[in-house]
């Protein structure tokens, strides 16, 4: 009633828009049903060749789905109204195009066992979600980043010291596919945080205004009444950006953007690129072509005078101290010296070697 009253006071436009959206969602469900998509297997219309370049597993690395205790549950792709709405918006409310896009997205997720490597069966409310990445130490040493804080619209914030990341050093320890797979991990985790934040915000509103505590009603309202909450904010700090062009880095960025735009549409609220040096103008001229016009508009490229722009979107207690706020940065955002990086990476390399190889190395080194 609270949301209906608000819509009526706004001239009924919100209800009209929602009515049209409900109708489009019903049409899209019918199209998906006709395509044979039931969520338990890859849609018959999925074109594997078209999306092969976005596979995130190395040859022989992907887990065998047939060995799982509950294969169908692990493969299932849950289709709710929020999912359908996002794909409709991404394709300008064209039901056929949105359905085609969703079929491709579901086929890609199932083919790449996304819910499997994110441990879909574990309790996402626990502090251990998502499961620890096997390459976490490499990212800790070479990629200062953190998911912490919320913007004024209660969206989770991803912070990254992008200018300090050297892709050539990362590729000494990881493959391009592992870097793209890491990005998918983050998108899955951020999606979990978006839903969690949206549920808390909407629950607070309907508890206060309506006295409703029914979790099922809350979940329905979260899906249909809070699309703005179900997005993320990204802050990329380019201080220290290398002057040398990095073709490998651009290629990986392109793959990540294709995954976001095709398989995670309407998940980006805004991306602040701060401390952008003059040379970034040329880089941006290249990479912006990987983004559709709608996504391009969500990027804010700012130099060193970024504090006012950040404060418009984020309260001071959710801005990291190093950027003028009061929020303490977590350990993942630590910038290590060369000696510390070497020690972390040496320990990682040693941990990945077969035990017999480690013993041999120690003997060769006189240990």
């Amino acid at each position: 009633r609270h949301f209906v009253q608000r819509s009526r006071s706004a001239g009924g436009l919100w209800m009209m828009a929602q009515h049209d959206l409900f109708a489009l969602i019903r049409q899209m469900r019918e199209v998906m049903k006709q395509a044979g998509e039931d969520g338990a297997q890859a849609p018959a219309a999925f074109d594997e060749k078209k999306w092969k370049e976005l596979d995130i597993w190395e040859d022989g690395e992907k887990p065998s789905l047939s060995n799982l205790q509950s294969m169908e549950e692990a493969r299932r792709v849950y289709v709710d109204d929020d999912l359908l709405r996002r794909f409709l918006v991404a394709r300008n409310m064209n039901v056929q195009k949105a359905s085609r896009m969703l079929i491709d997205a579901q086929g890609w997720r199932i083919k790449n066992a996304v819910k499997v490597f994110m441990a879909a069966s574990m309790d996402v409310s626990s502090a251990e979600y998502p499961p620890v990445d096997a390459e976490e130490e490499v990212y800790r040493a070479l990629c200062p980043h953190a998911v912490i804080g919320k913007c004024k619209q209660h969206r989770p914030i991803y912070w990254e010291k992008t200018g300090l990341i050297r892709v050539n050093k990362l590729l000494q320890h990881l493959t391009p596919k592992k870097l793209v797979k890491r990005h998918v991990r983050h998108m899955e985790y951020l999606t979990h945080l978006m839903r969690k934040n949206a549920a808390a915000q909407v629950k607070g509103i309907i508890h206060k205004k309506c006295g409703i505590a029914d979790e099922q009603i809350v979940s329905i309202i979260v899906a249909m009444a809070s699309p703005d909450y179900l997005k993320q904010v990204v802050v990329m700090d380019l201080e220290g950006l290398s002057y040398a062009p990095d073709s490998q880095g651009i290629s990986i960025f392109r793959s990540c953007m294709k995954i976001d735009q095709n398989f995670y549409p309407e998940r980006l609220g805004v991306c602040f690129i701060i401390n952008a040096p003059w040379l970034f103008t040329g880089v941006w001229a290249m990479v912006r072509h990987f983004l559709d016009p709608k996504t391009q508009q969500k990027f804010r490229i700012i130099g060193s005078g970024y504090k006012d722009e950040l404060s418009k979107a984020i309260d001071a207690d959710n801005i990291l101290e190093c950027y003028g706020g009061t929020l303490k940065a977590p350990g993942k955002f630590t910038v290590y010296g060369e000696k510390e990086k070497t020690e972390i990476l040496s320990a990682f390399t040693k941990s990945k070697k077969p035990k017999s190889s480690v013993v041999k190395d120690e003997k060769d080194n006189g240990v």
Side-chain angles (χ1 to χ4, degrees):
R1 287 178 183 174
H2 170 66
F3 286 103
V4 170
Q5 287 169 359
R6 283 180 60 187
S7 68
R8 285 175 178 166
S9 66
L13 294 177
W14 184 86
M15 283 297 288
M16 288 172 62
Q18 290 295 76
H19 175 75
D20 292 342
L21 183 58
F22 288 146
L24 291 173
I25 285 174
R26 286 197 297 271
Q27 290 178 36
M28 191 169 171
R29 284 192 181 278
E30 285 302 312
V31 172
M32 297 296 290
K33 193 177 295 183
Q34 291 170 15
E37 168 50 43
D38 62 2
Q41 59 185 1
F46 174 61
D47 186 349
E48 286 196 32
K49 290 183 179 179
K50 179 180 177 182
W51 301 108
K52 184 172 178 57
E53 65 171 310
L54 298 181
D55 283 356
I56 59 176
W57 295 94
E58 304 290 351
D59 292 341
E61 184 191 25
K62 190 173 85 169
S64 173
L65 295 178
S66 60
N67 292 335
L68 296 173
Q69 186 174 9
S70 179
M71 182 177 68
E72 284 194 6
E73 181 60 29
R75 289 162 65 97
R76 188 169 298 281
V77 181
Y78 181 63
V79 178
D80 60 8
D81 286 347
D82 171 61
L83 186 77
L84 297 177
R85 176 191 59 78
R86 289 190 295 104
F87 280 79
L88 280 165
V89 171
R91 288 297 177 263
N92 296 315
M93 300 300 173
N94 184 306
V95 172
Q96 293 296 330
K97 289 182 179 179
S99 300
R100 173 73 265 168
M101 183 185 186
L102 180 52
I103 286 171
D104 285 340
Q106 290 187 325
W108 173 83
R109 288 179 63 86
I110 294 168
K111 181 175 183 288
N112 285 279
V114 172
K115 294 192 77 172
V116 176
F117 84 80
M118 286 301 293
S121 61
M122 67 185 295
D123 178 10
V124 297
S125 64
S126 75
E128 297 178 6
Y129 186 84
V132 177
D133 192 332
E135 287 85 29
E136 191 64 46
E137 289 301 284
V138 177
Y139 296 107
R140 183 166 73 91
L142 300 176
C143 301
H145 68 284
V147 178
I148 188 170
K150 304 173 188 176
C151 75
K152 292 179 180 180
Q153 292 176 279
H154 301 272
R155 299 166 174 173
I157 307 172
Y158 173 71
W159 307 82
E160 181 181 275
K161 288 188 174 291
T162 313
L164 299 181
I165 297 173
R166 300 293 180 262
V167 176
N168 63 325
K169 291 188 177 181
L170 277 169
L171 293 178
Q172 292 175 12
H173 304 275
L174 306 171
T175 65
K177 282 190 176 182
K178 285 186 181 294
L179 296 179
V180 174
K181 182 179 169 186
R182 171 71 172 201
H183 177 74
V184 173
R185 285 174 59 90
H186 265 285
M187 289 305 298
E188 289 293 305
Y189 178 51
L190 283 162
T191 298
H192 159 67
L193 287 182
M194 292 171 208
R195 290 185 175 278
K196 185 178 178 181
N197 292 349
Q201 180 67 7
V202 173
K203 187 184 293 184
I205 292 173
I206 65 173
H207 280 190
K208 184 177 179 180
K209 299 289 184 180
C210 313
I212 296 174
D214 189 299
E215 293 297 328
Q216 188 173 3
I217 294 176
V218 172
S219 65
I220 292 171
I221 297 176
V222 167
M224 294 310 303
S226 55
D228 283 344
Y229 299 144
L230 297 168
K231 296 182 180 182
Q232 64 169 316
V233 173
V234 176
V235 182
M236 303 173 75
D237 181 1
L238 298 191
E239 185 174 4
L241 186 70
S242 172
Y243 281 73
D246 190 334
S247 59
Q248 289 179 307
I250 291 175
S251 176
I252 292 168
F253 175 81
R254 179 175 177 271
S255 295
C256 291
M257 290 302 98
K258 286 187 73 172
I259 285 173
D260 289 357
Q261 291 181 132
N262 289 286
F263 309 141
Y264 298 93
E266 294 299 307
R267 283 306 192 196
L268 177 63
V270 61
C271 177
F272 294 101
I273 298 181
I274 64 175
N275 286 319
W278 64 267
L279 68 91
F280 183 69
T281 306
V283 177
W284 177 246
M286 286 189 292
V287 301
R288 68 181 299 176
H289 296 297
F290 304 149
L291 310 173
D292 64 46
K294 281 185 180 179
T295 305
Q296 289 182 30
Q297 294 174 8
K298 297 177 181 180
F299 281 71
R300 306 282 185 272
I301 301 174
I302 315 167
S304 57
Y306 56 81
K307 291 183 180 179
D308 287 345
E309 284 296 314
L310 285 185
S311 63
K312 289 177 185 177
I314 311 169
D315 289 324
D317 58 351
N318 279 285
I319 297 177
L320 296 178
E321 288 179 330
C322 54
Y323 298 122
T326 60
L327 183 64
K328 291 189 178 297
K332 286 185 177 181
F333 212 63
T334 302
V335 178
Y336 292 100
E338 291 304 316
K339 182 180 178 181
E340 293 169 305
K341 287 180 185 178
T342 300
E343 291 174 352
I344 294 170
L345 294 172
S346 294
F348 170 79
T349 302
K350 185 177 179 180
S351 70
K352 295 299 177 183
K353 285 185 177 181
K355 190 172 181 180
S356 57
S357 177
V358 173
V359 172
K360 182 179 183 301
D361 288 347
E362 289 178 346
K363 287 180 177 179
D364 291 345
N365 292 323
V367 178

